[in-house]
Amino acid sequence: MDQEEEEVVAAAAREDEASQLIYRIERPVYNETLIQTKLLKRKEDTTTNCQKLAEKFQCSSEKAKAAALSFMPILSWLPSYPVRKYLFSDVVSGLSTGVVQLPQGLAYAMLAAVPPVYGLYSSFYPVLLYTFFGTSRHISVGTFAVISLMIGGVAVREAPDSMYMNINATGSNASDAINVELRDKSRVQVAVMVTTLAGLIQIVLGLLRFGFVAIYLTEPLVRGFTTAASMHVVISQLKYLLGVETQRYSGFLSAIYSVKAVLSRITSTNIATFLLGLGCIIFLYVIKVLNERFKKKLPIPIPGEIIVVIVSTSISYGLSLSKEYKVHVVGNIPTGLRPPAAPNISLLPNLVTDSFAIAIVGFSMDVSLAKIFALKHGYSVDGNQELIALGLCNFISSFFQTFAVTCSMSRSLVQESTGGKTQIAGLLASLLVLVVVVAIGFVFEPLPQTALAAIIMVNLIGMFKQFRDIPSLWRTSKIELAIWVIAFIASVLLGLDYGLLVAVTFAILTVIYRTQSPKSSILGHVANTGLYCDVDEYEEAAEYEGIKIFHSNSSIYFANSDLYVNSLKEKTGLNPEHLQAARKAQKKQKEKTNSNQSSPLKICAKYKDEAVTHEVLPQGHMAVAEDQKNGQFGDRHGDSSSEEVVFLEPFSTVHSIILDWTSATFIDSVGAKAIRQVIKEYATVDVRVVIAGCNRNLLAELDTLKFFTKDLTTDILFPTVHDAVLHCQHSNSHPSVAAVSDMT
C-alpha cells in the first residue's frame, strides 16, 4: 500500500512538472548601443506639424456625431430607451427621490443662508439640466449639505448681520434689530454670483480636459473634509433646534464661536421648538434604521423626511406654533418661478477663491459617487464631461436664482435602491419639485425650522460614521491617516475654504515626502530564477562577488537627487571621496617611507573579515610578512637589508555598481547631472557604474538632456539587470587581492 501511495505521489509530481510553464531563452547580452544599431529602428514620422494640426481640426460627420453624443450623452441612450423594461422602475425611483429632494432643498437653503424657496429652485433647474448633459445614470444632483454650508459661509462673510442693523429697532429679539429682507436679498446675490463663477470654472476646466484635478482630492482627504463639514453643519443647526437667536459666524474658529454663542443663550431655549425638533430627530433616526435593516424587504424606503415635513407642518398650522409659542417657521414661499436675471458682477473680486474651492469640491463629490455606481452597474462615466455637465448645471441655473449643487449621497442611494435605471428618474424628481414650487409652495409656509434642522442632522449620520476610518487607517497607512486628521482639524478650525487649502497642500507634501524618501535596497540574485530581490529581506537572494546592484523605487529629480546619491553611497558602502582619500594617504605614506628607509618596500593589501575599511597602516605598523594569509606580523626589527612590507587594507573589493532604474519614470536636468557626476567619481577609483532597466521614455529624456557624451556612451545602459550583471562579470579584470610592489 505504501508503494502504491509513493507511485501516486510521484505520478502527481510528474504531472505538475509537465503542466508547469517553462520560461527559457538564450540570447547575447544586450546594451543600448547594440539595441539601437542591431535590434530596434525608430519609426520615421513624416507628418508635419501643419498636417497634424489640420488633422486635429478636420471636421467630418463622424467627428460631429461623436462630439454631439459626448456633449449631450442623453442622445446616446434615449433613442434606444427600453420603455417597458425601464419606465416603471424610473417612475417609482423618481417619485421616491423627489419626495426626499423636496424637504432637503428647503433644509439646505438654511445652510446656504438664503430663504428656503431658493433651495426648491436649486432642486429643479440643475436636476433638469443634468438629465441632458450628465453621464451617470444613478446619481441625484441637487442641494448638498457641504456645498450649501460653504456657500452660506461666503454669504455670511460678504453680507454679515452687522451691515443690516435697524438703528431705530427696539426690543430684545435680535431679529427685530436686523433688516432681514435686505440682508437675505444681499446674501442671495452673493450665493448666485458664487454659483455662476463656480459653474464657469467647472466648464473651463472640463473643456481643457482638467478632469484629473479630482485626483488631488484623495479619498482620506475628502472623507476628513466632509466629516469636518458635517461638524460645521450640525453646529450651525443647533440654534434652529433650540430656537435661540445667535449670530452666524464664518472663517477662522467659526465653529468654536458658534458653539460658544449657542451655549451663552441656552437659557433662552424655546421648549416647544426643542421638543418638536427632538421628536423629529428620534422619528427620522428610527426610520433610517428600519430602512437600513429591512431594505431588502421594503419595495421602496420609508420616506421619513416627507412624513416629518407633512406632520410638523400640520401641527404647526393647527396649533399656531409661530404665534402662540414663538416657533420659527419657514415663512413666505412665493408661488411660481422667478424670471432669469444676471448676477451682480461687482461681487466677483472677493469670490474667486471661494468659487474655485466650491467648484473642485462639488466635482470631486460628483465624480467619486458617479464612478462607484458606474462600477457597480457596469458602465463608464467621463470625468471631463461630468465637469462640464456640473458646470452647466450651476452656470445656467444661477441665472434663475439658484445656488451651487452637486450630487447627494443619500438621495443617490434612494434613486439607485428604488430601481432607477436612467436619469429619467432624476427628471421626474425635478418635475415633482416644480409642481410644489408652481402650485402648492404656500402649503409649507408653517413648516417649523427645527424640523428642517432635524432632517439635516439625521442625514449626516452617515458622514459621522467616517470616524471609523481612523483605526483602519492607523493599521494600513499612517500617511493617509495624517491626511485625514489634518483635513478634519484644519477644516474645523480654519473654516472649509482654508481647511481645504491646507489639506490639499499637506497631501501634496506627502507625495513629495514619499518621493524624497524612497525605499532603497541592494539586490541579490535568486539562484536559477533570473530574479533579483532585496538581500536584507530575502534569505535566498545572494550578491555577486564584486558587484553591487542598487535599487530605489523612485524617479530622480531635483528634490531627491542628493538623497539618491547619498543612499547609493551608504547602501553600497563605497564612497569615492573616502576611497580617494585613502589612495592619497597611501601615496604619502609610501613616499614618506621611501625617504626614511633604505631597504626595499613592498606595499600589500589584505582583507579583514571581507570588510572594506579604507585605512592605511601607519609607519609604526610596518612588519615583515611572515604569514599574509592569516595577517600575522613577524618581528619588525629584522635585518635592515631585508625587504620591509607595509600591509594596507584594500580600497574596495567591488569593481561594478549597477543602478536598477526599473522603477524610475522620469529624470530632470538636476538628476541627470547628479548621475553623471556619480559615474565620474566612481570611475576615478576604478569602480564601473552601469544602468539597467531604463525604459524608452526615460532614455529619450536622457538624450534630450545631453546625458551621453563621447566618454559616457550608451554602452553603460542595459535592458535588464541580468544583462548588466553578465557584462560586468565578463569585463572584470580586477584581481581579488591587489598587490603593488615598488622596488627602490
Side-chain angles (χ1 to χ4, degrees):
M1 187 67 180
D2 294 338
Q3 185 176 359
E4 291 180 359
E5 291 180 355
E6 291 177 0
E7 291 178 355
V8 171
V9 172
R14 286 193 299 270
E15 184 177 352
D16 292 341
E17 185 177 353
S19 63
Q20 188 175 12
L21 293 176
I22 302 299
Y23 176 25
R24 184 181 295 111
I25 186 171
E26 185 174 336
R27 62 169 176 80
V29 172
Y30 293 144
N31 60 22
E32 187 57 35
T33 303
L34 182 61
I35 290 175
Q36 291 182 3
T37 56
K38 299 290 183 65
L39 293 181
L40 296 179
K41 184 177 181 181
R42 189 177 296 276
K43 292 182 178 180
E44 295 184 4
D45 188 3
T46 58
T47 307
T48 64
N49 291 332
C50 292
Q51 290 175 332
K52 292 179 180 178
L53 193 62
E55 184 179 353
K56 188 73 174 177
F57 290 97
Q58 184 180 7
C59 186
S60 64
S61 58
E62 292 79 8
K63 285 189 175 182
K65 181 179 179 181
L69 293 178
S70 175
F71 184 67
M72 294 189 67
I74 190 174
L75 297 177
S76 63
W77 57 265
L78 187 60
S80 59
Y81 181 79
V83 177
R84 293 183 178 180
K85 185 177 180 181
Y86 283 177
L87 184 59
F88 179 75
S89 298
D90 280 340
V91 169
V92 174
S93 176
L95 294 177
S96 302
T97 306
V99 165
V100 177
Q101 195 155 13
L102 179 64
Q104 286 189 0
L106 294 169
Y108 293 154
M110 294 197 306
L111 292 178
V114 296
V117 69
Y118 293 93
L120 296 180
Y121 299 154
S122 302
S123 299
F124 168 64
Y125 290 107
V127 183
L128 181 66
L129 290 169
Y130 187 82
T131 303
F132 296 92
F133 299 106
T135 60
S136 175
R137 303 173 190 172
H138 295 90
I139 65 171
S140 174
V141 170
T143 56
F144 182 58
V146 174
I147 299 298
S148 300
L149 184 67
M150 294 178 73
I151 292 174
V154 179
V156 171
R157 184 192 70 207
E158 297 297 321
D161 291 339
S162 58
M163 291 179 60
Y164 306 95
M165 302 298 293
N166 289 323
I167 300 176
N168 299 323
T170 58
S172 58
N173 195 335
S175 62
D176 294 337
I178 300 174
N179 189 335
V180 176
E181 183 178 353
L182 184 59
R183 181 201 65 184
D184 288 348
K185 182 179 179 181
S186 299
R187 289 180 175 178
V188 168
Q189 291 180 342
V190 173
V192 168
M193 187 64 241
V194 169
T195 303
T196 304
L197 190 53
L200 192 60
I201 291 171
Q202 289 171 332
I203 293 172
V204 172
L205 291 178
L207 293 175
L208 295 177
R209 320 308 287 175
F210 269 33
F212 67 87
V213 295
I215 65 176
Y216 293 102
L217 298 182
T218 178
E219 184 179 359
L221 186 152
V222 172
R223 293 174 73 86
F225 174 78
T226 52
T227 305
S230 301
M231 293 286 293
H232 279 283
V233 171
V234 169
I235 291 171
S236 70
Q237 296 306 297
L238 289 177
K239 66 177 184 178
Y240 298 109
L241 181 66
L242 300 176
V244 297
E245 293 283 350
T246 63
Q247 178 183 348
R248 180 165 177 172
Y249 297 91
S250 63
F252 296 147
L253 303 178
S254 59
I256 296 176
Y257 291 142
S258 297
V259 172
K260 181 180 178 181
V262 171
L263 293 178
S264 66
R265 297 185 60 84
I266 199 168
T267 55
S268 304
T269 299
N270 187 310
I271 302 300
T273 299
F274 175 68
L275 291 178
L276 180 59
L278 184 61
C280 291
I281 289 177
I282 294 173
F283 175 79
L284 288 171
Y285 180 75
V286 171
I287 294 298
K288 183 175 278 292
V289 171
L290 292 176
N291 283 335
E292 182 65 25
R293 180 169 296 182
F294 300 105
K295 61 181 178 181
K296 294 183 179 180
K297 297 181 179 180
L298 293 172
I300 60 172
I302 302 173
E305 288 90 347
I306 196 65
I307 293 174
V308 164
V309 168
I310 294 174
V311 172
S312 60
T313 301
S314 302
I315 293 175
S316 175
Y317 179 77
L319 299 180
S320 300
L321 295 182
S322 178
K323 294 181 180 180
E324 299 295 333
Y325 300 95
K326 306 300 180 184
V327 174
H328 294 290
V329 296
V330 167
N332 181 45
I333 297 181
T335 301
L337 299 173
R338 289 177 173 268
N344 187 353
I345 304 297
S346 62
L347 299 171
L348 179 63
N350 296 334
L351 306 178
V352 175
T353 304
D354 303 288
S355 300
F356 191 83
I358 290 171
I360 297 300
V361 173
F363 169 64
S364 177
M365 300 299 298
D366 176 281
V367 76
S368 59
L369 200 58
K371 287 184 177 180
I372 290 174
F373 286 120
L375 183 63
K376 181 178 179 181
H377 293 277
Y379 64 94
S380 61
V381 294
D382 183 352
N384 292 307
Q385 179 58 29
E386 280 296 300
L387 197 50
I388 294 173
L390 201 60
L392 289 172
C393 291
N394 285 323
F395 180 74
I396 296 176
S397 300
S398 66
F399 290 90
F400 296 91
Q401 310 296 295
T402 67
F403 54 86
V405 299
T406 185
C407 70
S408 166
M409 182 177 294
S410 59
R411 290 196 310 272
S412 298
L413 290 174
V414 170
Q415 183 167 318
E416 189 260 350
S417 63
T418 52
K421 304 296 183 183
T422 65
Q423 281 300 330
I424 294 295
L427 176 64
L428 294 174
S430 67
L431 294 178
L432 181 62
V433 175
L434 176 63
V435 171
V436 173
V437 172
V438 173
I440 59 173
F442 64 92
V443 172
F444 298 101
E445 291 181 357
L447 175 62
Q449 291 183 355
T450 186
L452 297 178
I455 292 173
I456 293 172
M457 290 181 173
V458 174
N459 275 317
L460 293 175
I461 290 177
M463 292 289 187
F464 287 113
K465 290 181 179 179
Q466 294 177 153
F467 278 112
R468 299 174 182 173
D469 295 346
I470 295 178
S472 175
L473 291 175
W474 175 262
R475 293 189 297 268
T476 57
S477 174
K478 302 296 191 300
I479 291 180
E480 290 188 335
L481 173 63
I483 294 174
W484 196 104
V485 173
I486 292 296
F488 175 78
I489 295 176
S491 300
V492 167
L493 297 180
L494 305 181
L496 297 181
D497 45 2
Y498 289 102
L500 179 63
L501 179 62
V502 170
V504 171
T505 303
F506 182 77
I508 294 175
L509 289 177
T510 62
V511 176
I512 297 174
Y513 167 76
R514 291 185 181 188
T515 57
Q516 278 191 315
S517 305
K519 181 181 179 181
S520 303
S521 59
I522 296 296
L523 304 184
H525 180 246
V526 180
N528 302 319
T529 64
L531 301 178
Y532 289 85
C533 302
D534 188 350
V535 295
D536 293 331
E537 190 172 351
Y538 299 99
E539 296 178 356
E540 294 81 5
E543 294 186 62
Y544 287 107
E545 183 179 356
I547 299 175
K548 293 285 185 180
I549 306 172
F550 177 75
H551 174 83
S552 178
N553 58 350
S554 171
S555 298
I556 307 167
Y557 65 111
F558 69 93
N560 72 346
S561 57
D562 289 341
L563 295 172
Y564 182 92
V565 172
N566 293 336
S567 179
L568 169 64
K569 295 176 180 179
E570 179 184 351
K571 287 287 185 179
T572 59
L574 302 176
N575 191 318
E577 295 177 358
H578 296 168
L579 295 176
Q580 282 279 45
R583 176 171 291 182
K584 291 179 180 179
Q586 173 183 315
K587 185 176 180 181
K588 290 181 180 180
Q589 181 69 23
K590 173 183 174 182
E591 293 174 353
K592 183 177 180 181
T593 304
N594 287 342
S595 64
N596 294 334
Q597 302 290 338
S598 59
S599 60
L601 175 68
K602 180 181 289 184
I603 302 177
C604 300
K606 70 186 185 66
Y607 289 117
K608 182 177 181 180
D609 298 331
E610 298 298 321
V612 182
T613 59
H614 318 303
E615 295 179 358
V616 179
L617 297 180
Q619 183 179 357
H621 285 77
M622 291 187 301
V624 178
E626 293 185 353
D627 189 355
Q628 294 185 20
K629 184 175 181 180
N630 57 19
Q632 299 297 321
F633 300 140
D635 186 1
R636 67 183 181 93
H637 301 289
D639 191 280
S640 61
S641 63
S642 64
E643 185 179 71
E644 292 203 40
V645 180
V646 178
F647 285 91
L648 300 172
E649 300 287 350
F651 293 131
S652 172
T653 60
V654 176
H655 54 77
S656 301
I657 294 177
I658 300 173
L659 304 181
D660 179 14
W661 280 11
T662 53
S663 298
T665 57
F666 71 93
I667 188 170
D668 66 358
S669 60
V670 177
K673 289 178 182 178
I675 297 301
R676 188 187 297 115
Q677 183 63 28
V678 162
I679 294 175
K680 291 180 179 180
E681 289 178 359
Y682 277 110
T684 60
V685 292
D686 299 325
V687 177
R688 180 194 307 108
V689 177
V690 298
I691 300 170
C694 179
N695 64 65
R696 312 309 297 179
N697 292 331
L698 190 57
L699 178 62
E701 290 182 6
L702 292 175
D703 285 332
T704 304
L705 295 170
K706 308 297 182 184
F707 180 80
F708 301 106
T709 62
K710 292 182 179 180
D711 299 327
L712 190 63
T713 66
T714 53
D715 289 341
I716 67 168
L717 292 180
F718 296 88
T720 67
V721 173
H722 200 58
D723 281 287
V725 168
L726 294 177
H727 170 80
C728 293
Q729 288 178 329
H730 177 73
S731 59
N732 174 37
S733 60
H734 291 247
S736 58
V737 179
V740 179
S741 179
D742 186 7
M743 303 296 294
T744 59

